[in-house]
Amino acid sequence: MPIAQLGIRYKGKQKIEITRAMLSHVVDNFRKRDTGEVPIDYDRAIETAAGSGAPVPAAGWIKAIESAPDRNGILWAIV
């Protein structure tokens, strides 16, 4: 599953540039997780339920991530 792509994006008037350094941080942070996986939730449910102990349904889990973006600038994950 593609999770990010190098380049410039806009959200309204806000300019967001996704760089190789940013994607390197994504890879590093993923590999630091104790569980070795990251849940993909619905509507940021993990953020809103944090600390409450409420269950959070997941659509899936990111199980692995590539080390760097491919030649098209896409960072891929195995879900």
Side-chain angles (χ1 to χ4, degrees), residues 1-7 9 18-31 62 64-79:
M1 174 179 165
I3 57 172
Q5 185 173 18
L6 296 172
R9 308 286 184 275
I18 299 175
T19 65
R20 287 191 180 277
M22 291 170 85
L23 296 185
S24 179
H25 287 301
V26 169
V27 172
D28 290 344
N29 287 334
F30 176 82
R31 293 190 173 150
I62 297 174
I65 193 168
E66 294 291 323
S67 297
D70 67 12
R71 63 187 170 124
N72 296 313
I74 300 171
L75 184 63
W76 292 88
I78 296 174
V79 177

Side-chain angles (χ1 to χ4, degrees), residues 4-63:
Q5 185 173 18
L6 296 172
I8 296 172
R9 308 286 184 275
Y10 292 90
K11 182 176 182 181
K13 294 182 180 181
Q14 182 181 7
K15 178 181 172 182
I16 302 166
E17 183 174 3
I18 299 175
T19 65
R20 287 191 180 277
M22 291 170 85
L23 296 185
S24 179
H25 287 301
V26 169
V27 172
D28 290 344
N29 287 334
F30 176 82
R31 293 190 173 150
K32 289 178 187 175
R33 294 196 52 94
D34 292 339
T35 62
E37 58 187 35
V38 174
I40 301 170
D41 66 358
Y42 299 94
D43 299 322
R44 299 188 190 120
I46 290 172
E47 292 177 21
T48 57
S52 72
V56 178
W61 290 264
I62 297 174
K63 300 286 193 173

